[in-house]
Amino acid sequence: MKVLVAVKRVIDYNVKIRVKADHSDVDLTNVKMAMNPFCEIAVEEAVRLKEKGVATEIVVVTVGPKAAQEQLRTALALGADRAIHVETDERAESLAVAKLLAKVVDEEQPGMVILGKQAIDTDNNQTGQMLAALTNLPQGTFASEVAVDDDKVHVTREIDGGLQTVALTLPAIVTTDLRLNEPRYAKLPDIMKAKKKPMDVKTPADYGIEVASRVSLLKVESPAERKGGVKVASVDELIDKLKNEAKVL
Amino acid sequence: MSILVLADVHEGQLAGATAHVVAAAKAIGGDIDVLVAGEGVQAAAEEAAKLDGVTKVRVADNAAYAHQLAEPMGGLLVELADDYTHVLASASTTGKNVLPRLAALKDVSQLSDVLAVDSADTFKRPIYAGNAIATVKSDDTLKVITVRTTGFDAVSESGSAPIEAVDVVVENSQSRFVKEELAQSDRPELGGAKVVVSGGRGMGNGENFKLLDGIADKLGAAIGASRAAVDAGFVPNDMQVGQTGKIVAPELYIAVGISGAIQHLAGMKDSKVIVAINKDDEAPIFQVADYGLVGDLFEILPELESKL
């Protein structure tokens, strides 16, 4: 079966972000960018499914600016077979991305689509679910285990309070949680080979989708700073402070 | 304005989160209906009817909604949503699973993890792991919103709203519940606890987490963990506090052997008082801690337990 994986270019998760002085957004100039960590897990899972003989082809797709092709090349170096880049410089909201991905699903007819559970920039946690709704496919969100069995996939999901397993009829949409797997690193020869793998470049207009946002970003602020605390010297002092100063005991 | 709140139900009981979501709905203003969906949820519906500010409770009690699977729940909400201007749910794993399906089916955007209401169409939400707060305005006719429960104080249980049955049944042949493995615990629920004691990689192993038990017992606290502790297999993942785990904002948060990575801070930095116990006095956790104690946790924890 063909597996489609969606990836997103985001600010590197180790970077401490800065809010622009005019509060219009977060400052992304000269900031290190990378593949969203949950997307790396999605690519890894697809590659493992291929190694098990379950997946026959891995197609990786992204919606974003030209620079996002770097992340597609990374996915190709990790084992994806070909890439689709839907190029747009607009701030694409989850719904627009889901609509574009739904068109790609229509065209490619994959047996499974794997996405990360959320992107660490917008922290939305929406796209996979929206894609499932738009394609009328079942969803296995926050997956920590994926097992394909004939025409079904068993997905173990991380839920509040523990784990839940659901059986979904294929084709299905799966979103990855952190513990699904440990992504591998791309090897140099694979990075070189990835440069020759096919990449289709499209635009939202090719799919007849408007990327314009429905939600306007009015202001971005830094969260309230916590005021500097004190170090205490002993357990007795700590208990005393908690009782008499902070009054939380 | 009329608002539909999707109740969180666990094993037939109403989860505490729902009272916080009703508080967010009150901040928006208008009639507030609560939808309780599941199998055998009559008791949960009666609990929901007591929540202050609720106009009526709608109950969809049917095997189709057992375990609140996303496919039938999305279908149910689509049927009901036309009567409302806002649909709200807590940003629990259920709310996050179900609401984006509704939003897409209604062709509207969703606002995730809203922590403050500016007006009926303008909200505040955290982005970049809580390192920035965005004020966003939705132009959609239907606002689909998940609520960060720690942003709103729970409403009281002084109401008595009428309960009515919803007879919509959504067929679902696409997904099937197989099993659930829930962690057993007598302690307060992590998300709602007044005190949280969390351990990190510094705890060394799972066995050492027992050192937190006595302290948690004395304080009536829930026990949490950092991602490092979960990944190392010390404790199960539902104990994880952070961007990708639970978001908590207790009165007192005690971080033991936790360095304080951005990812972890995103889950606890709205706590009222933060205490850090760490042997590394350079650990970033000390930058957010109100009280820091530098030292060996294996000596400090037993002493703390005995002196509390």
Side-chain angles (χ1 to χ4, degrees):
Chain A
M1 103 182 140
K2 186 193 286 185
V3 175
L4 181 70
V5 182
V7 301
K8 186 178 185 186
R9 175 183 172 87
V10 298
I11 195 163
D12 186 275
Y13 73 99
N14 282 310
V15 172
K16 186 135 175 59
I17 58 125
R18 291 182 315 274
V19 170
K20 283 185 185 170
D22 64 358
H23 296 292
S24 61
D25 206 341
V26 165
D27 192 354
L28 294 182
T29 43
N30 299 323
V31 167
K32 188 182 173 206
M33 305 293 279
M35 193 193 297
N36 179 45
F38 291 99
C39 302
E40 288 183 347
I41 296 170
V43 172
E44 175 67 28
E45 195 62 20
V47 173
R48 290 187 190 191
L49 286 172
K50 194 173 177 193
E51 286 167 350
K52 279 185 210 155
V54 174
T56 48
E57 188 190 21
I58 302 170
V59 181
V60 62
V61 56
T62 196
V63 176
K66 193 162 180 56
Q69 289 188 6
E70 272 175 50
Q71 279 61 49
L72 289 175
R73 290 290 170 202
T74 305
L76 292 169
L78 290 167
D81 296 295
R82 59 186 172 90
I84 301 170
H85 179 210
V86 184
E87 192 177 332
T88 174
D89 287 324
E90 293 232 31
R91 186 170 59 90
E93 282 166 12
S94 301
L95 182 63
V97 174
K99 285 181 179 177
L100 287 164
L101 294 179
K103 294 285 186 185
V104 175
V105 168
D106 239 20
E107 254 175 33
E108 296 283 340
Q109 295 290 319
M112 194 189 296
V113 186
I114 314 181
L115 304 87
K117 81 163 174 182
Q118 73 189 61
I120 60 165
D121 51 0
T122 53
D123 282 335
N124 271 333
N125 197 329
Q126 300 172 359
T127 306
Q129 295 88 316
M130 287 179 160
L131 175 61
L134 296 175
T135 52
N136 193 27
L137 295 176
Q139 69 190 48
T141 51
F142 328 140
S144 60
E145 206 182 316
V146 172
V148 178
D149 173 18
D150 292 334
D151 62 337
K152 293 243 184 321
V153 57
H154 278 68
V155 179
T156 303
R157 308 177 51 235
E158 299 201 3
I159 59 167
D160 296 331
L163 298 171
Q164 179 190 70
T165 306
V166 290
L168 310 175
T169 310
L170 291 171
I173 312 289
V174 171
T175 75
T176 64
D177 216 320
L178 277 173
R179 270 161 294 276
L180 180 58
N181 61 48
E182 189 136 338
R184 69 193 70 188
Y185 292 98
K187 296 193 192 77
L188 187 60
D190 294 336
I191 295 171
M192 302 309 290
K193 275 184 224 153
K195 291 182 180 167
K196 296 205 174 70
K197 288 187 179 176
M199 184 179 306
D200 271 351
V201 180
K202 305 254 189 169
T203 65
D206 294 340
Y207 296 105
I209 301 290
E210 281 274 345
V211 179
S213 14
R214 321 280 198 73
V215 173
S216 33
L217 188 59
L218 301 184
K219 190 164 65 173
V220 176
E221 300 159 285
S222 292
E225 289 276 322
R226 291 190 74 93
K227 58 178 169 31
V230 293
K231 288 211 175 118
V232 295
S234 68
V235 170
D236 290 315
E237 191 186 343
L238 175 63
I239 293 176
D240 177 64
K241 293 266 193 198
L242 290 177
K243 275 191 177 143
N244 301 316
E245 196 175 279
K247 300 191 196 306
V248 288
L249 286 188
Chain B
M1 250 160 325
S2 52
I3 303 170
L4 183 66
V5 169
L6 173 64
D8 271 49
V9 182
H10 291 303
E11 297 181 317
Q13 300 295 310
L14 190 73
T18 307
H20 296 265
V21 182
V22 171
K26 282 179 83 172
I28 295 168
D31 286 345
I32 302 169
D33 289 359
V34 175
L35 171 65
V36 180
E39 187 180 23
V41 290
Q42 201 57 39
E46 283 161 22
E47 287 292 307
K50 289 185 203 154
L51 295 176
D52 182 47
V54 174
T55 311
K56 79 175 174 239
V57 174
R58 306 181 74 177
V59 192
D61 198 337
N62 193 290
Y65 308 121
H67 305 286
Q68 301 196 324
L69 295 186
E71 295 77 12
M73 291 291 290
L76 171 64
L77 284 168
V78 167
E79 292 290 319
L80 303 182
D82 288 342
D83 297 340
Y84 300 95
T85 54
H86 296 70
V87 176
L88 271 58
S90 78
S92 63
T93 47
T94 304
K96 288 174 180 170
N97 193 31
V98 174
L99 254 58
R101 259 191 108 92
L102 164 68
L105 292 171
K106 286 289 179 194
D107 195 26
V108 298
S109 286
Q110 180 188 297
L111 304 177
S112 295
D113 242 356
V114 161
L115 46 73
V117 175
D118 281 5
S119 72
D121 63 5
T122 306
F123 305 88
K124 285 194 165 58
R125 58 175 304 266
I127 53 176
Y128 293 91
N131 289 301
I133 307 297
T135 304
V136 290
K137 180 171 175 290
S138 165
D139 295 330
D140 284 317
T141 46
L142 173 70
K143 273 87 171 164
V144 177
I145 293 169
T146 61
V147 174
R148 175 170 287 200
T149 51
T150 57
F152 300 89
D153 292 332
V155 296
S156 65
E157 294 188 0
S158 53
S160 59
I163 299 177
E164 72 176 35
V166 174
D167 51 13
V168 179
V169 177
V170 179
E171 292 304 325
N172 166 37
S173 59
Q174 295 184 307
S175 64
R176 183 170 56 82
F177 171 84
V178 177
K179 64 176 176 181
E180 218 157 58
E181 294 156 66
L182 299 179
Q184 296 303 321
S185 173
D186 301 331
R187 299 192 188 285
E189 186 209 344
L190 194 52
K194 288 223 167 0
V195 182
V196 173
V197 186
S198 280
R201 199 198 303 272
M203 296 301 291
N205 59 46
E207 194 64 18
N208 290 337
F209 262 74
K210 289 192 180 140
L211 292 169
L212 304 179
D213 284 348
I215 295 169
D217 286 342
K218 286 195 172 167
L219 298 174
I223 297 185
S226 69
R227 183 182 161 192
V230 174
D231 281 352
F234 298 175
V235 291
N237 60 50
D238 54 289
M239 287 170 65
Q240 183 181 322
V241 173
Q243 183 186 17
T244 53
K246 291 225 173 55
I247 313 285
V248 301
E251 298 272 297
L252 173 61
Y253 188 90
I254 305 180
V256 184
I258 292 176
S259 64
I262 292 176
Q263 198 277 343
H264 186 74
L265 300 183
M268 47 64 83
K269 68 185 163 62
D270 292 327
S271 305
K272 187 161 165 255
V273 175
I274 297 173
V275 170
I277 299 173
N278 205 301
K279 66 179 179 197
D280 174 10
D281 68 354
E282 302 272 296
I285 190 81
F286 287 118
Q287 289 165 21
V288 300
D290 299 278
Y291 303 109
L293 183 51
V294 179
D296 184 353
L297 64 94
F298 296 103
E299 290 164 20
I300 292 171
L301 291 178
E303 186 184 349
L304 182 61
E305 183 182 343
S306 68
K307 288 181 174 165
L308 278 172

mmCIF file of all heavy atoms in Angstrom, chain B residues 74-114:
data_model
loop_
_atom_site.group_PDB
_atom_site.id
_atom_site.type_symbol
_atom_site.label_atom_id
_atom_site.label_comp_id
_atom_site.label_asym_id
_atom_site.label_seq_id
_atom_site.Cartn_x
_atom_site.Cartn_y
_atom_site.Cartn_z
ATOM 1 N N GLY B 74 -18.141 13.215 15.853
ATOM 2 C CA GLY B 74 -18.089 14.296 14.865
ATOM 3 C C GLY B 74 -19.427 14.393 14.137
ATOM 4 O O GLY B 74 -19.977 15.475 13.962
ATOM 5 N N GLY B 75 -19.966 13.238 13.765
ATOM 6 C CA GLY B 75 -21.257 13.203 13.075
ATOM 7 C C GLY B 75 -22.375 13.763 13.933
ATOM 8 O O GLY B 75 -23.237 14.520 13.454
ATOM 9 N N LEU B 76 -22.360 13.424 15.219
ATOM 10 C CA LEU B 76 -23.389 13.920 16.153
ATOM 11 C C LEU B 76 -23.310 15.439 16.280
ATOM 12 O O LEU B 76 -24.325 16.146 16.190
ATOM 13 C CB LEU B 76 -23.178 13.249 17.525
ATOM 14 C CG LEU B 76 -24.019 13.793 18.685
ATOM 15 C CD1 LEU B 76 -25.508 13.560 18.447
ATOM 16 C CD2 LEU B 76 -23.597 13.151 20.013
ATOM 17 N N LEU B 77 -22.111 15.955 16.477
ATOM 18 C CA LEU B 77 -21.941 17.402 16.658
ATOM 19 C C LEU B 77 -22.359 18.169 15.409
ATOM 20 O O LEU B 77 -22.945 19.248 15.500
ATOM 21 C CB LEU B 77 -20.479 17.726 17.015
ATOM 22 C CG LEU B 77 -20.086 17.395 18.456
ATOM 23 C CD1 LEU B 77 -18.584 17.473 18.641
ATOM 24 C CD2 LEU B 77 -20.780 18.344 19.432
ATOM 25 N N VAL B 78 -22.073 17.608 14.240
ATOM 26 C CA VAL B 78 -22.481 18.264 13.000
ATOM 27 C C VAL B 78 -24.000 18.408 12.946
ATOM 28 O O VAL B 78 -24.531 19.432 12.539
ATOM 29 C CB VAL B 78 -21.960 17.474 11.779
ATOM 30 C CG1 VAL B 78 -22.628 17.955 10.502
ATOM 31 C CG2 VAL B 78 -20.457 17.621 11.665
ATOM 32 N N GLU B 79 -24.704 17.374 13.408
ATOM 33 C CA GLU B 79 -26.170 17.418 13.420
ATOM 34 C C GLU B 79 -26.697 18.506 14.347
ATOM 35 O O GLU B 79 -27.722 19.118 14.089
ATOM 36 C CB GLU B 79 -26.742 16.062 13.878
ATOM 37 C CG GLU B 79 -26.507 14.932 12.906
ATOM 38 C CD GLU B 79 -27.342 15.094 11.638
ATOM 39 O OE1 GLU B 79 -28.515 15.488 11.749
ATOM 40 O OE2 GLU B 79 -26.784 14.843 10.553
ATOM 41 N N LEU B 80 -25.994 18.722 15.465
ATOM 42 C CA LEU B 80 -26.503 19.643 16.489
ATOM 43 C C LEU B 80 -26.011 21.076 16.317
ATOM 44 O O LEU B 80 -26.637 22.015 16.803
ATOM 45 C CB LEU B 80 -26.091 19.156 17.890
ATOM 46 C CG LEU B 80 -26.529 17.741 18.283
ATOM 47 C CD1 LEU B 80 -26.077 17.438 19.708
ATOM 48 C CD2 LEU B 80 -28.048 17.583 18.172
ATOM 49 N N ALA B 81 -24.881 21.253 15.629
ATOM 50 C CA ALA B 81 -24.167 22.544 15.675
ATOM 51 C C ALA B 81 -24.944 23.707 15.077
ATOM 52 O O ALA B 81 -24.700 24.861 15.438
ATOM 53 C CB ALA B 81 -22.816 22.410 14.970
ATOM 54 N N ASP B 82 -25.902 23.433 14.172
ATOM 55 C CA ASP B 82 -26.613 24.528 13.510
ATOM 56 C C ASP B 82 -27.377 25.424 14.481
ATOM 57 O O ASP B 82 -27.677 26.563 14.168
ATOM 58 C CB ASP B 82 -27.570 23.978 12.449
ATOM 59 C CG ASP B 82 -26.802 23.443 11.247
ATOM 60 O OD1 ASP B 82 -25.619 23.812 11.098
ATOM 61 O OD2 ASP B 82 -27.370 22.648 10.482
ATOM 62 N N ASP B 83 -27.684 24.900 15.656
ATOM 63 C CA ASP B 83 -28.438 25.701 16.635
ATOM 64 C C ASP B 83 -27.529 26.633 17.433
ATOM 65 O O ASP B 83 -28.015 27.351 18.303
ATOM 66 C CB ASP B 83 -29.151 24.780 17.634
ATOM 67 C CG ASP B 83 -30.175 23.899 16.943
ATOM 68 O OD1 ASP B 83 -30.581 24.272 15.819
ATOM 69 O OD2 ASP B 83 -30.557 22.856 17.505
ATOM 70 N N TYR B 84 -26.234 26.598 17.173
ATOM 71 C CA TYR B 84 -25.303 27.312 18.060
ATOM 72 C C TYR B 84 -24.362 28.247 17.303
ATOM 73 O O TYR B 84 -24.093 28.041 16.122
ATOM 74 C CB TYR B 84 -24.477 26.295 18.867
ATOM 75 C CG TYR B 84 -25.356 25.398 19.724
ATOM 76 C CD1 TYR B 84 -25.772 24.154 19.264
ATOM 77 C CD2 TYR B 84 -25.799 25.836 20.963
ATOM 78 C CE1 TYR B 84 -26.596 23.349 20.034
ATOM 79 C CE2 TYR B 84 -26.630 25.041 21.743
ATOM 80 C CZ TYR B 84 -27.027 23.795 21.268
ATOM 81 O OH TYR B 84 -27.855 23.023 22.033
ATOM 82 N N THR B 85 -23.860 29.251 18.053
ATOM 83 C CA THR B 85 -22.836 30.145 17.499
ATOM 84 C C THR B 85 -21.439 29.679 17.900
ATOM 85 O O THR B 85 -20.460 30.026 17.247
ATOM 86 C CB THR B 85 -23.013 31.584 18.008
ATOM 87 O OG1 THR B 85 -23.038 31.553 19.448
ATOM 88 C CG2 THR B 85 -24.309 32.189 17.491
ATOM 89 N N HIS B 86 -21.356 28.947 19.028
ATOM 90 C CA HIS B 86 -20.067 28.469 19.529
ATOM 91 C C HIS B 86 -20.196 27.012 19.965
ATOM 92 O O HIS B 86 -21.200 26.657 20.596
ATOM 93 C CB HIS B 86 -19.612 29.260 20.769
ATOM 94 C CG HIS B 86 -19.355 30.720 20.520
ATOM 95 N ND1 HIS B 86 -20.364 31.605 20.249
ATOM 96 C CD2 HIS B 86 -18.202 31.441 20.530
ATOM 97 C CE1 HIS B 86 -19.842 32.822 20.087
ATOM 98 N NE2 HIS B 86 -18.535 32.750 20.257
ATOM 99 N N VAL B 87 -19.201 26.207 19.645
ATOM 100 C CA VAL B 87 -19.124 24.863 20.221
ATOM 101 C C VAL B 87 -17.788 24.767 20.956
ATOM 102 O O VAL B 87 -16.726 25.040 20.387
ATOM 103 C CB VAL B 87 -19.224 23.757 19.146
ATOM 104 C CG1 VAL B 87 -19.043 22.383 19.787
ATOM 105 C CG2 VAL B 87 -20.568 23.829 18.427
ATOM 106 N N LEU B 88 -17.866 24.409 22.246
ATOM 107 C CA LEU B 88 -16.668 24.369 23.083
ATOM 108 C C LEU B 88 -16.449 22.967 23.647
ATOM 109 O O LEU B 88 -17.407 22.247 23.939
ATOM 110 C CB LEU B 88 -16.826 25.318 24.283
ATOM 111 C CG LEU B 88 -16.394 26.791 24.149
ATOM 112 C CD1 LEU B 88 -17.146 27.473 23.015
ATOM 113 C CD2 LEU B 88 -16.614 27.537 25.448
ATOM 114 N N ALA B 89 -15.195 22.601 23.818
ATOM 115 C CA ALA B 89 -14.853 21.385 24.549
ATOM 116 C C ALA B 89 -13.541 21.662 25.258
ATOM 117 O O ALA B 89 -12.817 22.593 24.892
ATOM 118 C CB ALA B 89 -14.704 20.195 23.610
ATOM 119 N N SER B 90 -13.238 20.871 26.254
ATOM 120 C CA SER B 90 -11.950 21.041 26.912
ATOM 121 C C SER B 90 -10.855 20.546 25.970
ATOM 122 O O SER B 90 -11.105 19.706 25.107
ATOM 123 C CB SER B 90 -11.911 20.268 28.228
ATOM 124 O OG SER B 90 -11.703 18.910 27.968
ATOM 125 N N ALA B 91 -9.646 21.068 26.171
ATOM 126 C CA ALA B 91 -8.521 20.608 25.359
ATOM 127 C C ALA B 91 -7.967 19.312 25.950
ATOM 128 O O ALA B 91 -6.776 19.163 26.181
ATOM 129 C CB ALA B 91 -7.448 21.691 25.274
ATOM 130 N N SER B 92 -8.871 18.377 26.195
ATOM 131 C CA SER B 92 -8.477 17.031 26.634
ATOM 132 C C SER B 92 -8.216 16.205 25.384
ATOM 133 O O SER B 92 -8.450 16.680 24.269
ATOM 134 C CB SER B 92 -9.618 16.391 27.428
ATOM 135 O OG SER B 92 -10.731 16.235 26.570
ATOM 136 N N THR B 93 -7.765 14.968 25.567
ATOM 137 C CA THR B 93 -7.519 14.171 24.363
ATOM 138 C C THR B 93 -8.827 13.933 23.598
ATOM 139 O O THR B 93 -8.808 13.795 22.379
ATOM 140 C CB THR B 93 -6.814 12.837 24.678
ATOM 141 O OG1 THR B 93 -7.453 12.199 25.774
ATOM 142 C CG2 THR B 93 -5.350 13.063 25.011
ATOM 143 N N THR B 94 -9.964 13.905 24.293
ATOM 144 C CA THR B 94 -11.234 13.731 23.584
ATOM 145 C C THR B 94 -11.598 14.992 22.799
ATOM 146 O O THR B 94 -11.927 14.925 21.617
ATOM 147 C CB THR B 94 -12.366 13.389 24.567
ATOM 148 O OG1 THR B 94 -11.997 12.232 25.295
ATOM 149 C CG2 THR B 94 -13.670 13.141 23.841
ATOM 150 N N GLY B 95 -11.525 16.141 23.460
ATOM 151 C CA GLY B 95 -11.842 17.401 22.779
ATOM 152 C C GLY B 95 -10.964 17.618 21.564
ATOM 153 O O GLY B 95 -11.437 18.006 20.493
ATOM 154 N N LYS B 96 -9.672 17.340 21.727
ATOM 155 C CA LYS B 96 -8.733 17.533 20.620
ATOM 156 C C LYS B 96 -8.994 16.552 19.481
ATOM 157 O O LYS B 96 -8.726 16.842 18.330
ATOM 158 C CB LYS B 96 -7.296 17.317 21.109
ATOM 159 C CG LYS B 96 -6.762 18.411 21.995
ATOM 160 C CD LYS B 96 -5.392 17.967 22.496
ATOM 161 C CE LYS B 96 -4.751 18.994 23.391
ATOM 162 N NZ LYS B 96 -3.551 18.411 24.046
ATOM 163 N N ASN B 97 -9.486 15.384 19.837
ATOM 164 C CA ASN B 97 -9.739 14.355 18.840
ATOM 165 C C ASN B 97 -10.984 14.677 18.016
ATOM 166 O O ASN B 97 -11.009 14.483 16.811
ATOM 167 C CB ASN B 97 -9.919 13.006 19.561
ATOM 168 C CG ASN B 97 -9.877 11.811 18.626
ATOM 169 O OD1 ASN B 97 -9.190 11.839 17.609
ATOM 170 N ND2 ASN B 97 -10.616 10.770 18.970
ATOM 171 N N VAL B 98 -12.020 15.168 18.693
ATOM 172 C CA VAL B 98 -13.335 15.285 18.069
ATOM 173 C C VAL B 98 -13.585 16.648 17.407
ATOM 174 O O VAL B 98 -14.105 16.714 16.291
ATOM 175 C CB VAL B 98 -14.437 15.014 19.126
ATOM 176 C CG1 VAL B 98 -15.810 15.270 18.555
ATOM 177 C CG2 VAL B 98 -14.325 13.588 19.655
ATOM 178 N N LEU B 99 -13.235 17.752 18.078
ATOM 179 C CA LEU B 99 -13.672 19.058 17.587
ATOM 180 C C LEU B 99 -13.138 19.464 16.207
ATOM 181 O O LEU B 99 -13.879 20.059 15.422
ATOM 182 C CB LEU B 99 -13.399 20.158 18.633
ATOM 183 C CG LEU B 99 -14.712 20.615 19.306
ATOM 184 C CD1 LEU B 99 -15.429 19.463 19.969
ATOM 185 C CD2 LEU B 99 -14.501 21.773 20.223
ATOM 186 N N PRO B 100 -11.859 19.148 15.879
ATOM 187 C CA PRO B 100 -11.412 19.530 14.535
ATOM 188 C C PRO B 100 -12.218 18.848 13.437
ATOM 189 O O PRO B 100 -12.367 19.381 12.340
ATOM 190 C CB PRO B 100 -9.947 19.071 14.503
ATOM 191 C CG PRO B 100 -9.537 18.999 15.931
ATOM 192 C CD PRO B 100 -10.767 18.568 16.673
ATOM 193 N N ARG B 101 -12.771 17.671 13.733
ATOM 194 C CA ARG B 101 -13.624 16.983 12.745
ATOM 195 C C ARG B 101 -14.873 17.806 12.501
ATOM 196 O O ARG B 101 -15.293 18.007 11.363
ATOM 197 C CB ARG B 101 -14.028 15.596 13.264
ATOM 198 C CG ARG B 101 -13.230 14.451 12.684
ATOM 199 C CD ARG B 101 -13.842 13.108 13.037
ATOM 200 N NE ARG B 101 -14.482 12.468 11.891
ATOM 201 C CZ ARG B 101 -13.880 11.609 11.073
ATOM 202 N NH1 ARG B 101 -12.633 11.269 11.261
ATOM 203 N NH2 ARG B 101 -14.530 11.083 10.067
ATOM 204 N N LEU B 102 -15.475 18.299 13.587
ATOM 205 C CA LEU B 102 -16.658 19.145 13.458
ATOM 206 C C LEU B 102 -16.316 20.389 12.648
ATOM 207 O O LEU B 102 -17.047 20.766 11.722
ATOM 208 C CB LEU B 102 -17.164 19.548 14.854
ATOM 209 C CG LEU B 102 -18.149 20.719 14.874
ATOM 210 C CD1 LEU B 102 -19.470 20.334 14.231
ATOM 211 C CD2 LEU B 102 -18.372 21.231 16.295
ATOM 212 N N ALA B 103 -15.199 21.040 13.007
ATOM 213 C CA ALA B 103 -14.823 22.291 12.343
ATOM 214 C C ALA B 103 -14.685 22.076 10.837
ATOM 215 O O ALA B 103 -15.237 22.833 10.042
ATOM 216 C CB ALA B 103 -13.519 22.827 12.937
ATOM 217 N N ALA B 104 -13.971 21.018 10.451
ATOM 218 C CA ALA B 104 -13.756 20.776 9.024
ATOM 219 C C ALA B 104 -15.074 20.465 8.320
ATOM 220 O O ALA B 104 -15.325 20.944 7.216
ATOM 221 C CB ALA B 104 -12.765 19.636 8.834
ATOM 222 N N LEU B 105 -15.939 19.684 8.971
ATOM 223 C CA LEU B 105 -17.213 19.317 8.339
ATOM 224 C C LEU B 105 -18.111 20.542 8.165
ATOM 225 O O LEU B 105 -18.950 20.585 7.269
ATOM 226 C CB LEU B 105 -17.924 18.231 9.150
ATOM 227 C CG LEU B 105 -17.218 16.865 9.152
ATOM 228 C CD1 LEU B 105 -17.859 15.917 10.159
ATOM 229 C CD2 LEU B 105 -17.218 16.244 7.754
ATOM 230 N N LYS B 106 -17.923 21.540 9.037
ATOM 231 C CA LYS B 106 -18.705 22.783 8.915
ATOM 232 C C LYS B 106 -17.937 23.847 8.143
ATOM 233 O O LYS B 106 -18.378 24.990 8.071
ATOM 234 C CB LYS B 106 -19.052 23.305 10.319
ATOM 235 C CG LYS B 106 -20.144 22.501 11.009
ATOM 236 C CD LYS B 106 -21.477 22.760 10.335
ATOM 237 C CE LYS B 106 -22.592 21.960 10.994
ATOM 238 N NZ LYS B 106 -23.799 21.954 10.142
ATOM 239 N N ASP B 107 -16.763 23.496 7.629
ATOM 240 C CA ASP B 107 -15.928 24.420 6.869
ATOM 241 C C ASP B 107 -15.588 25.684 7.664
ATOM 242 O O ASP B 107 -15.700 26.805 7.160
ATOM 243 C CB ASP B 107 -16.600 24.789 5.537
ATOM 244 C CG ASP B 107 -15.622 25.452 4.570
ATOM 245 O OD1 ASP B 107 -14.408 25.187 4.686
ATOM 246 O OD2 ASP B 107 -16.056 26.242 3.721
ATOM 247 N N VAL B 108 -15.207 25.503 8.926
ATOM 248 C CA VAL B 108 -14.754 26.637 9.740
ATOM 249 C C VAL B 108 -13.400 26.285 10.366
ATOM 250 O O VAL B 108 -13.036 25.121 10.460
ATOM 251 C CB VAL B 108 -15.761 26.996 10.869
ATOM 252 C CG1 VAL B 108 -17.095 27.407 10.271
ATOM 253 C CG2 VAL B 108 -15.941 25.864 11.863
ATOM 254 N N SER B 109 -12.677 27.317 10.788
ATOM 255 C CA SER B 109 -11.414 27.084 11.483
ATOM 256 C C SER B 109 -11.704 26.703 12.933
ATOM 257 O O SER B 109 -12.806 26.901 13.421
ATOM 258 C CB SER B 109 -10.556 28.343 11.466
ATOM 259 O OG SER B 109 -10.012 28.524 10.183
ATOM 260 N N GLN B 110 -10.685 26.208 13.603
ATOM 261 C CA GLN B 110 -10.846 25.923 15.026
ATOM 262 C C GLN B 110 -9.814 26.725 15.804
ATOM 263 O O GLN B 110 -8.692 26.946 15.336
ATOM 264 C CB GLN B 110 -10.631 24.441 15.302
ATOM 265 C CG GLN B 110 -10.786 24.128 16.800
ATOM 266 C CD GLN B 110 -10.400 22.710 17.142
ATOM 267 O OE1 GLN B 110 -11.018 21.773 16.669
ATOM 268 N NE2 GLN B 110 -9.384 22.550 17.969
ATOM 269 N N LEU B 111 -10.186 27.159 16.986
ATOM 270 C CA LEU B 111 -9.232 27.808 17.881
ATOM 271 C C LEU B 111 -8.909 26.809 18.983
ATOM 272 O O LEU B 111 -9.793 26.390 19.723
ATOM 273 C CB LEU B 111 -9.834 29.086 18.466
ATOM 274 C CG LEU B 111 -10.326 30.102 17.413
ATOM 275 C CD1 LEU B 111 -10.968 31.300 18.090
ATOM 276 C CD2 LEU B 111 -9.178 30.552 16.525
ATOM 277 N N SER B 112 -7.633 26.433 19.079
ATOM 278 C CA SER B 112 -7.236 25.400 20.036
ATOM 279 C C SER B 112 -6.705 26.005 21.318
ATOM 280 O O SER B 112 -5.984 27.011 21.281
ATOM 281 C CB SER B 112 -6.144 24.521 19.427
ATOM 282 O OG SER B 112 -6.641 23.803 18.325
ATOM 283 N N ASP B 113 -7.048 25.359 22.453
ATOM 284 C CA ASP B 113 -6.379 25.654 23.713
ATOM 285 C C ASP B 113 -6.560 27.107 24.172
ATOM 286 O O ASP B 113 -5.625 27.712 24.705
ATOM 287 C CB ASP B 113 -4.868 25.391 23.536
ATOM 288 C CG ASP B 113 -4.382 24.295 24.463
ATOM 289 O OD1 ASP B 113 -5.171 23.797 25.275
ATOM 290 O OD2 ASP B 113 -3.190 23.958 24.385
ATOM 291 N N VAL B 114 -7.744 27.649 23.968
ATOM 292 C CA VAL B 114 -8.002 29.046 24.331
ATOM 293 C C VAL B 114 -7.863 29.227 25.842
ATOM 294 O O VAL B 114 -8.409 28.449 26.625
ATOM 295 C CB VAL B 114 -9.407 29.446 23.841
ATOM 296 C CG1 VAL B 114 -9.923 30.684 24.549
ATOM 297 C CG2 VAL B 114 -9.381 29.639 22.327
#
